Amino acid sequence: MRRGFESRRVFAALSVATLACAGPAKAPGTLTTKTPATAGAQASPGSARDRLALALHAIPRPLPVLDALPDDARKRLETRLAGLDAERKLSVHNDQSPLVETLPLLHLASGGTSPRALFALATTSAGTAELSGLLGVEHEAPAASPGGARIAVVRELAHRAALDFLRDRAADVRVKGSTSSALVCRLVARAALAVGRRDLVLTARELLVEAEPSTENRLEFAAELARSGEPDRAARVLGDASQDKQHPPHAVTRAAVEQAIAAARFVVAHPTANDPGAKLALARAWLRLGRIAEARALLEPEAGTAKAQLGLATALAESQIETPSCPDLPPGVGTAPLCAEAFLASEHVKSALALLDTAWQSRAGRDDEAVEVYAALAHIIPWMHKTAIEMSRGALSPSEAADRVAGLHAKIQEIVAAAPRLAGLALFVETLHSGVASTGPARRSDSDARALAGRALALAATDSSRFAQAGVLAVAAALSHQQDVSALVDAVPLEQTVSALRVPRAALDVWSAASSGTRGRMDNARNELAAIMTEGRGESLERARLVLSVSEADALLDGSERSYQLLSRVSGQLLQDSIPPDLAFRAVLDASGALAHGKRSDRAKEVLTGAASAEVPADFDRARDLLQLIRGYELVLSTDSADASALGQARTALSALAPGPGAESAAVWFDLWARELEAREKDALCQKRKQSVCRDADALRRSSRHALDARLGAQSSAVLLRGALPGGSFDAGFRFSAEAGLEPFIIFDPSLLAIGLPKFTAE
């Protein structure tokens, strides 16, 4: 569960590594639907704009999206819509409502036509989640299992939505203007992946470079050119990007593009191969370019030989499974349980795993790449899928989860013996124990924490691979609540950090600065945030969370009215966007806290009251805990001038709002305020007795630092004593793709809530 500094379920973020035009595209706003005749000046013949518009217009209109639902699911959807009151029906139908992206099927059922709904269905798991409770297993479906039926429905929904969305963008593409062109091409590039149209991705990225010639856009275009088999042109585009002295390419990103160009040059120079060794080299080049079908055609005749050669076996397995993170579904649309069902039910997966086991036992062909792919496909990805299934069914206890992680760690250690460069992977897996089995932030003893940090620092001193970087930063995130992790963060130099880890490293810098009170480190984190925003690193939501974390830390460390005003503005801007409930509630708490800090308590209460009536599903743990804080803070602010009787009633009401086990940071806040309200009652009694010193009240306002450290961790306690409520989450997991191989990922989201704290001392 996502509470305190626990990880969310690590498997929940298991996803296919997908590429967008210049980082992940934000869901579309209301796009123009002008006809080409009225859409402005026509693009010149043969231009990227004209070619993309023609290609989009040539897409046949698919069957209606909702017709992909079986009859029983369609009826349930209509019943759900009919059960809404008039206000909610209007909200679901409104094209500008944030519900369009979270409830796209309901929006379409209401008669809505927002392209945002189509984009969400084609590129996110919103439609899959919405199908929960709609899709029964009793309907007729050409599938061997209920899971197979669900997969077929989700795939068809995404396919139709993507085609509808793409075809309607033809007119938008013809509208000249750098801002609109950049937005449209990002959306087209992302949606085109759902239907396997890499030709559209290529042309969209070409147009993006024309409209917005940034270094990042050029690098993405160069990589796509390499995939399409144009290495020379890709090299020229990469050269253009390298000429930008103001925004030079990040070394790691440039190296990835150069590798793609090298792979493209190899397949151009070696169009055929005859012996198994040559076929393996050519197949790996095809795989690095994402050209799965070409690799499969090359290797299938060598299936017999592959049983005794791990290199051939792993390459063939990659081409057979194709998208092991979520087989048979477009990128991003599957939930973790559905992807797990798809993986475990796939005959291609079963065949590939049997081949890998046989080839591993042969001990032949164990080069580094083969061992990495073997670890991913034979152990890590299956482990994550099986864990996802069991956790979704509530069938995995914390102790069983811990045993499962220990088993995976032991297997990875065995693999590391054959490929020492994967040592960082073993360290990374150790942190997954926190993610699956943790029941509180202070899970590790101080001695265990020091030993783990020591192993991480020793690894960083000798290994700078992406696995080592991920392992070191994951250890830093896992230990961040209980000890200063600055040395661990510094052990992964910023200029060497792989692209996928830039955002979590910056977030760790923010947390380290806030918990240690180091302004210089905060300056570094702020500069890194600027670079991340400029380069479009990470998911858009990750960047939004990081912006808020930086603003929270600035307010905490600076303490000026200006810094709190900035935090209020950042929070307000986030609340105007379509963001998840937990981030929205966090922004509400920061905005109200900043207002109260500026002596605008009435306005702060208005902000809180507007959010306090919200409802969230029971399984949204983090959002639910933040909502309780909103309600508690609203109550606390109403007691400023309350008499003793009202204080007693408020204390009773506050105790009823306190969160359950697991939300330790929120529980500490409620405890502190309960003691403060009781202390105010004691103060009133002392005043009535004309006592100048109220020892009972003073005692209630004293807390044990040791007890706080035990509940929150020493570093979190330090944040609390500086004046913010510590919180956040840590996710760790893996992605896998033929192009990038196995990629550990970290999502570290520290929060330093500006919510008001009572007067107290820690001794």
Side-chain angles (χ1 to χ4, degrees):
M1 293 184 180
R2 190 179 183 185
R3 294 176 175 173
F5 263 98
E6 294 178 279
S7 301
R8 284 188 293 177
R9 299 168 184 170
V10 296
F11 51 80
L14 181 64
S15 61
V16 178
T18 58
L19 296 171
C21 201
K26 182 180 176 181
T30 302
L31 297 173
T32 179
T33 55
K34 296 178 181 179
T35 62
T38 60
Q42 294 289 324
S44 59
S47 69
R49 186 182 303 278
D50 195 50
R51 285 183 279 114
L52 183 58
L54 290 173
L56 293 171
H57 185 71
I59 294 174
R61 181 69 67 185
L63 294 171
V65 172
L66 292 183
D67 284 359
L69 293 173
D71 290 342
D72 56 334
R74 184 69 178 268
K75 290 175 182 177
R76 290 188 180 101
L77 181 63
E78 291 169 353
T79 300
R80 181 177 291 182
L81 179 64
L84 299 178
D85 58 35
E87 182 179 355
R88 295 200 177 195
K89 281 183 181 177
L90 182 61
S91 183
V92 165
H93 179 76
N94 184 355
D95 283 0
Q96 302 304 318
S97 169
L99 293 178
V100 167
E101 290 151 322
T102 55
L103 298 171
L105 293 175
L106 207 57
H107 171 76
L108 295 178
S110 74
T113 59
S114 172
R116 292 163 54 215
L118 297 174
F119 188 81
L121 286 171
T123 65
T124 76
S125 61
T128 307
E130 198 179 358
L131 278 173
S132 179
L134 293 177
L135 192 60
V137 300
E138 68 276 8
H139 65 271
E140 295 293 330
S145 68
R150 284 191 291 272
I151 292 164
V153 172
V154 170
R155 181 172 58 244
E156 185 63 18
L157 280 171
H159 188 82
R160 294 186 187 187
L163 292 176
D164 251 346
F165 178 84
L166 289 167
R167 193 180 194 284
D168 289 342
R169 303 285 72 75
D172 299 310
V173 165
R174 293 185 181 276
V175 179
K176 291 188 175 181
S178 59
T179 302
S180 61
S181 293
L183 171 62
V184 171
C185 89
R186 286 187 173 95
L187 299 174
V188 167
R190 179 60 186 89
L193 293 175
V195 289
R197 290 290 302 271
R198 297 304 299 229
D199 59 319
L200 295 178
V201 177
L202 177 63
T203 312
R205 286 184 172 151
E206 181 180 358
L207 177 58
L208 180 59
V209 169
E210 294 177 7
E212 194 177 274
S214 67
T215 298
E216 184 66 18
N217 290 342
R218 286 192 172 105
L219 291 174
E220 295 285 2
F221 180 40
E224 198 61 41
L225 283 168
R227 293 184 193 100
S228 69
E230 298 185 66
D232 292 339
R233 190 178 174 201
R236 290 195 297 272
V237 174
L238 176 60
D240 292 340
S242 302
Q243 296 302 312
D244 189 341
K245 303 303 181 184
Q246 188 174 0
H247 303 289
H250 190 271
V252 176
T253 307
R254 177 185 174 121
V257 177
E258 288 174 340
Q259 289 172 5
I261 293 173
R265 292 193 191 283
F266 187 87
V267 299
V268 170
H270 304 84
T272 60
N274 297 316
D275 63 89
K279 287 185 176 182
L280 174 59
L282 182 55
R284 282 177 168 174
W286 281 126
L287 289 169
R288 296 299 81 80
L289 295 171
R291 304 284 288 273
I292 309 299
E294 287 85 346
R296 183 166 54 246
L298 189 66
L299 292 178
E300 280 181 339
E302 301 297 329
T305 307
K307 293 179 180 179
Q309 216 279 351
L310 187 66
L312 282 171
T314 52
L316 180 56
E318 282 185 89
S319 69
Q320 289 176 331
I321 301 177
E322 193 162 339
T323 52
S325 295
C326 203
D328 302 322
L329 286 171
V333 303
T335 58
L338 187 63
C339 290
E341 284 189 59
F343 183 88
L344 297 175
S346 170
E347 293 301 323
H348 291 302
V349 169
K350 294 174 184 177
S351 173
L353 293 183
L355 173 63
L356 290 174
D357 183 61
T358 301
W360 177 258
Q361 297 301 327
S362 76
R363 296 182 173 274
R366 291 185 177 184
D367 60 41
D368 283 347
E369 183 171 339
V371 173
E372 177 187 327
V373 176
Y374 168 76
L377 296 185
H379 297 286
I380 293 172
I381 302 300
W383 178 88
M384 297 194 60
H385 283 312
K386 290 175 183 177
T387 305
I389 287 287
E390 295 192 16
M391 289 295 284
S392 69
R393 297 171 178 167
L396 196 62
S397 69
S399 61
E400 290 170 333
D403 291 342
R404 184 179 287 276
V405 174
L408 176 64
H409 183 259
K411 191 62 186 180
I412 296 301
Q413 288 282 46
E414 176 188 331
I415 293 171
V416 167
R421 78 180 188 92
L422 299 183
L425 192 59
L427 182 67
F428 185 84
V429 169
E430 284 194 67
T431 69
L432 299 188
H433 190 281
S434 306
V436 177
S438 173
T439 57
R443 197 187 61 79
R444 297 180 188 272
S445 68
D446 288 342
S447 59
D448 285 347
R450 285 193 295 270
L452 180 60
R455 292 200 299 277
L457 289 171
L459 177 67
T462 58
D463 189 349
S464 61
S465 70
R466 69 182 189 280
F467 295 121
Q469 291 183 19
V472 172
L473 293 179
V475 168
L479 301 181
S480 59
H481 60 282
Q482 67 184 103
Q483 70 177 49
D484 184 1
V485 295
S486 300
L488 288 166
V489 178
D490 292 342
V492 181
L494 177 60
E495 62 277 7
Q496 296 178 18
T497 305
V498 297
S499 178
L501 299 176
R502 291 271 298 278
V503 172
R505 188 194 183 284
L508 281 162
D509 247 346
V510 173
W511 173 259
S512 297
S515 59
S516 63
T518 310
R519 293 177 181 271
R521 184 172 289 274
M522 191 63 228
D523 291 339
N524 293 338
R526 200 180 299 107
N527 292 336
E528 177 60 2
L529 170 63
I532 286 170
M533 298 300 289
T534 299
E535 299 170 13
R537 299 293 174 187
E539 299 287 337
S540 59
L541 195 56
E542 285 184 282
R543 297 195 296 271
R545 294 184 189 277
L546 182 57
V547 168
L548 188 56
S549 294
V550 168
S551 300
E552 290 171 341
D554 275 337
L556 177 64
L557 295 179
D558 186 68
S560 66
E561 184 59 28
R562 178 180 174 277
S563 63
Y564 277 95
Q565 288 175 352
L566 179 59
L567 174 59
S568 181
R569 286 199 298 272
V570 168
S571 301
Q573 289 168 356
L574 282 175
L575 290 170
Q576 294 175 19
D577 293 333
S578 178
I579 55 177
D582 68 298
L583 183 56
F585 292 154
R586 178 177 161 191
V588 166
L589 288 167
D590 280 330
S592 57
L595 288 166
H597 182 275
K599 311 301 182 186
R600 299 177 62 191
S601 294
D602 289 343
R603 177 62 184 132
K605 283 187 280 189
E606 289 177 11
V607 173
L608 292 165
T609 300
S613 60
E615 298 178 5
V616 295
D619 58 342
F620 281 37
D621 301 309
R622 176 65 176 156
R624 188 185 63 234
D625 295 338
L626 290 169
L627 180 57
Q628 292 304 91
L629 281 171
I630 287 173
R631 292 166 176 166
Y633 194 25
E634 179 190 27
L635 177 62
V636 163
L637 288 179
S638 69
T639 65
D640 286 345
S641 56
D643 58 24
S645 175
L647 287 170
Q649 295 173 1
R651 186 154 55 91
T652 300
L654 192 68
S655 65
L657 292 173
E664 204 60 48
S665 183
V668 166
W669 185 89
F670 276 93
D671 289 349
L672 289 173
W673 269 109
R675 293 166 67 91
E676 171 61 21
L677 294 180
E678 186 178 358
R680 291 181 186 179
E681 291 181 70
K682 301 293 185 185
D683 280 335
L685 184 60
C686 288
Q687 290 173 8
K688 188 175 181 180
R689 295 173 178 173
K690 298 184 179 180
Q691 296 174 343
S692 58
V693 177
C694 194
R695 291 186 176 85
D696 289 343
D698 290 344
L700 285 165
R701 291 187 174 109
R702 284 195 295 271
S703 297
S704 164
R705 176 63 189 267
H706 178 75
L708 286 175
D709 287 354
R711 293 182 71 178
L712 300 176
Q715 296 304 108
S716 291
S717 291
V719 169
L720 185 72
L721 294 174
R722 287 192 171 86
L725 184 67
S729 63
F730 159 46
D731 295 353
F734 299 91
R735 299 183 180 95
F736 183 87
S737 69
E739 292 166 290
L742 182 65
E743 292 183 295
F745 71 83
I746 299 167
I747 301 177
F748 181 68
D749 177 29
S751 64
L752 308 133
L753 294 174
I755 185 174
L757 295 170
K759 295 183 294 183
F760 76 100
T761 57
E763 301 173 348

